[in-house]
Amino acid sequence: MKQNKASHLLDKFLAAQKAGKEIYFDADEIDDILERLEDREDYTHYEAILSLGLRLHPGSTELRIRQCKLLIYKEEFNQALDLVDSISDAAHLELDLLRLECYCALDQYHKVVSYIEAHLNDDREELEEVFEYLAPIISDMDMNEETSDFIQRGLKIFPNNMILKDELCLHLEAIGDIDGAIKICNELIDKNPYSVDYWFMLGRLYSMSADYEKAIEAFDFALTCDDSDIELKILKAYCLYMNDNFEKAIEVYSDIIDTDNSLRDRITPLLAECYIKQEKYEEAYRLLKKHLSEKETNSVEDISTFLNFIRCCMETERETEATVILNKALELYPDNIRLLSILAIKYTEDGKDKEAKEITEKLFRLIDEANDSLVDNAESLFQTAQYLNLKNDIREALKYYLKILNIDPKMPLITMYIAMAYLSLGDIEAFNKYYNLTPQEELADFFNKSGIDLDDLLRNLESKHIEPENLTKEYLKNKGHRN
């Protein structure tokens, strides 16, 4: 009834505004209209109606409070604080809450602490409301020390408050204490075992700690509480994918598309990745070809979609199509490290040594200037280096290996690849240098997988009777070692 009345009042205001006429409402009617607009999150006429109300009823505490909220929403905190302090109703809890919110925004947390300490013996329900109101606000302001202090103060007084524990869980997640967040989340679930939000939160936390089995289990519990949350299903499918359960991930992704076809564009590339992991390149190729063909010619697509489609084309012997999509991707992402790495390989295959050298120089320059993930860049360069090595272009491969060492010195076996490249070039001194830099456990792994007899290699080196050009071939021929 109240909402219907507010809607009717709003219609009267809009009609008067359209006719250019002034209209009268009492303060409560203005407040009802504004409350209705807030509920609908429709702020189109909010300021105009509030302005009218303040002209008609300049002394209304409720309307002035709404004016304070509007100023805070517009981040005009000093003005909001001045207005709060000018309102004479000193015993108004809502005014206290707004004042404390302004203190936080103006980096005056010490005043919040003073308020809490001054009201420890006052109404407990009102004090608890202060903590519940302010905790998420402080947390959203990225005030880590203050957030931790405020939540701990609140839990010391109200140890069973679920809102504060919820905020503590989110805060621990934000500062990277995932184990601590999981512990608190389990406490929340103990109190409310049928909360889809808590189970979803627990699954997300486990996924962040790469414990995908437990994440999937938590998501399954969440889905028993509410099976309509699409984001939950997407994250579950991701965890299944990360847990190498590709068949089940395909089932979940397919179910999402069947449930909501509007998500097809978003889900199709994820579904294709599952098929690629199963080496079902033809299925992935068909999915991605249809997906890309439905896009506008110059529409921006996630780079991984292009990369996966190029890989599917190569794996299914569609080299011409791979070249076409590579060129299209390069038009959209001309400085992408992974695309340029593929282009360098293509030029090498085509015998275009000059172009390959130019792309390599561009790659290295971009990496030196890059602000994105160096590890991702190193992985892209590594794939190119391995290809060049397989093609017996050892000198070019070595350039890549050395660049990788520079940007990601912790990459497993990188010093051993450099050592073997130098060995293939007959540089025994450089081989010894990088061989000795390789950790013993990595050496054992390398020679175990490569099929090279370490003792025989060392004897040949000592006698200088070596045939270096063939030493890495068996290792690199293994498909699993080229990725």
Side-chain angles (χ1 to χ4, degrees):
M1 181 69 75
K2 184 178 179 180
Q3 290 183 350
N4 290 337
K5 179 185 175 183
S7 295
H8 175 66
L9 292 171
L10 176 60
D11 290 340
K12 286 179 65 176
F13 169 82
L14 295 176
Q17 187 184 55
K18 185 176 181 180
K21 297 179 179 179
E22 186 79 7
I23 188 170
Y24 178 86
F25 297 105
D26 64 35
D28 288 340
E29 288 176 329
I30 292 287
D31 198 58
D32 288 343
I33 299 173
L34 295 174
E35 184 177 348
R36 177 62 172 153
L37 292 175
E38 288 179 6
D39 290 341
R40 290 162 52 179
E41 296 184 359
D42 179 2
Y43 295 95
T44 308
H45 304 287
Y46 192 94
E47 288 192 60
I49 295 170
L50 177 59
S51 180
L52 172 64
L54 289 170
R55 286 200 308 274
L56 295 173
H57 311 284
S60 169
T61 297
E62 295 306 319
L63 293 182
R64 295 180 76 189
I65 287 175
R66 291 197 184 276
Q67 186 183 13
C68 291
K69 291 180 178 179
L70 182 62
L71 289 169
I72 289 173
Y73 175 77
K74 295 165 71 173
E75 298 185 359
E76 296 174 6
F77 300 109
N78 282 309
Q79 289 178 256
L81 187 57
D82 289 342
L83 182 57
V84 169
D85 290 338
S86 73
I87 299 174
S88 59
D89 193 347
H92 201 298
L93 176 61
E94 193 166 12
L95 288 173
D96 285 348
L97 297 177
L98 295 174
R99 183 181 289 110
L100 293 172
E101 184 173 354
C102 290
Y103 287 156
C104 292
L106 295 170
D107 198 23
Q108 297 176 11
Y109 176 70
H110 63 283
K111 292 185 178 180
V112 176
V113 174
S114 296
Y115 176 92
I116 297 296
E117 292 177 346
H119 290 78
L120 287 175
N121 296 321
D122 292 352
D123 187 300
R124 302 287 283 186
E125 288 186 8
E126 287 195 357
L127 184 59
E128 189 167 17
E129 188 174 340
V130 169
F131 278 106
E132 291 179 348
Y133 176 82
L134 213 54
I137 291 173
I138 295 177
S139 181
D140 287 344
M141 290 179 179
D142 294 325
M143 302 163 62
N144 287 335
E145 290 185 13
E146 292 84 351
T147 300
S148 179
D149 177 77
F150 187 78
I151 293 174
Q152 294 300 336
R153 285 176 184 272
L155 287 172
K156 187 175 181 180
I157 306 169
F158 307 105
N160 297 317
N161 187 285
M162 298 289 280
I163 293 176
L164 290 176
K165 284 196 172 184
D166 195 338
E167 289 300 325
L168 177 59
C169 185
L170 293 171
H171 173 64
L172 292 172
E173 177 186 349
I175 64 175
D177 184 359
I178 304 302
D179 290 340
I182 288 172
K183 180 176 180 294
I184 299 299
C185 192
N186 276 309
E187 291 181 17
L188 292 168
I189 289 172
D190 288 342
K191 295 289 185 180
N192 187 357
Y194 301 105
S195 168
V196 63
D197 292 334
Y198 292 156
W199 282 113
F200 194 172
M201 184 188 296
L202 184 64
R204 188 183 71 247
L205 291 168
Y206 276 129
S207 72
M208 293 172 67
S209 63
D211 193 339
Y212 299 113
E213 285 284 356
K214 289 184 178 179
I216 293 164
E217 182 180 343
F219 291 140
D220 283 337
F221 276 112
L223 287 167
T224 62
C225 301
D226 180 4
D227 64 356
S228 64
D229 193 321
I230 294 297
E231 292 302 322
L232 196 162
K233 292 180 180 179
I234 292 173
L235 191 49
K236 177 187 173 181
Y238 165 79
C239 289
L240 288 165
Y241 170 88
M242 295 300 293
N243 209 37
D244 294 340
N245 193 342
F246 306 118
E247 283 292 345
K248 189 64 179 176
I250 288 171
E251 286 181 24
V252 177
Y253 282 137
S254 299
D255 176 65
I256 292 170
I257 293 174
D258 291 340
T259 303
D260 188 350
N261 192 59
S262 67
L263 294 170
R264 181 177 295 276
D265 276 356
R266 179 180 174 188
I267 300 302
T268 295
L270 303 174
L271 188 57
E273 284 192 24
C274 294
Y275 284 121
I276 289 171
K277 283 292 186 179
Q278 294 178 312
E279 299 186 6
K280 295 180 178 179
Y281 299 108
E282 190 64 37
E283 289 91 334
Y285 166 81
R286 288 199 298 269
L287 279 172
L288 294 176
K289 182 176 178 63
K290 185 173 186 296
H291 174 75
L292 290 171
S293 68
E294 293 171 349
K295 297 284 185 178
E296 296 180 10
T297 305
N298 294 319
S299 64
V300 176
E301 179 64 55
D302 189 279
I303 189 66
S304 64
T305 304
F306 287 115
L307 291 165
N308 284 332
F309 187 62
I310 291 167
R311 180 177 180 185
C312 290
C313 288
M314 297 304 296
E315 295 284 356
T316 57
E317 298 183 356
R318 294 178 170 97
E319 288 83 358
T320 301
E321 197 168 354
T323 301
V324 170
I325 203 69
L326 173 61
N327 290 332
K328 177 182 177 180
L330 282 166
E331 289 178 8
L332 297 171
Y333 304 97
D335 294 333
N336 182 268
I337 302 301
R338 296 179 69 185
L339 290 173
L340 291 172
S341 297
I342 296 172
L343 186 60
I345 290 173
K346 185 178 185 304
Y347 281 143
T348 301
E349 280 184 332
D350 296 343
K352 297 180 178 179
D353 296 337
K354 179 183 177 182
E355 290 87 344
K357 182 180 179 182
E358 289 175 353
I359 290 298
T360 298
E361 290 173 352
K362 180 178 180 179
L363 268 171
F364 291 172
R365 186 182 71 254
L366 286 171
I367 288 174
D368 288 338
E369 299 169 353
N371 292 319
D372 57 349
S373 172
L374 292 179
V375 173
D376 288 345
N377 291 336
E379 289 292 340
S380 299
L381 294 184
F382 181 70
Q383 294 176 20
T384 309
Q386 295 293 74
Y387 176 83
L388 293 168
N389 211 335
L390 280 168
K391 290 293 185 180
N392 208 33
D393 195 346
I394 306 301
R395 293 188 184 279
E396 283 302 308
L398 181 58
K399 292 179 184 178
Y400 281 78
Y401 288 138
L402 290 170
K403 192 67 176 177
I404 293 166
L405 181 65
N406 183 51
I407 64 177
D408 186 15
K410 293 183 179 180
M411 175 179 279
L413 289 173
I414 187 60
T415 50
M416 194 60 201
Y417 285 113
I418 295 172
M420 297 305 287
Y422 275 120
L423 181 60
S424 296
L425 295 172
D427 190 335
I428 307 303
E429 182 178 349
F431 166 81
N432 283 326
K433 173 185 174 182
Y434 288 99
Y435 175 88
N436 290 326
L437 288 174
T438 308
Q440 288 297 314
E441 61 273 16
E442 291 188 13
L443 284 173
D445 182 56
F446 179 88
F447 286 109
N448 179 55
K449 291 178 179 177
S450 67
I452 300 172
D453 188 305
L454 177 57
D455 292 334
D456 185 52
L457 172 63
L458 294 175
R459 282 194 299 272
N460 284 332
L461 287 173
E462 288 173 0
S463 62
K464 297 187 179 180
H465 293 136
I466 58 173
E467 297 177 358
E469 64 276 4
N470 296 317
L471 281 171
T472 59
K473 292 300 181 186
E474 290 304 315
Y475 185 77
L476 292 173
K477 282 179 182 176
N478 187 323
K479 188 173 186 178
H481 303 145
R482 296 206 301 270
N483 298 324

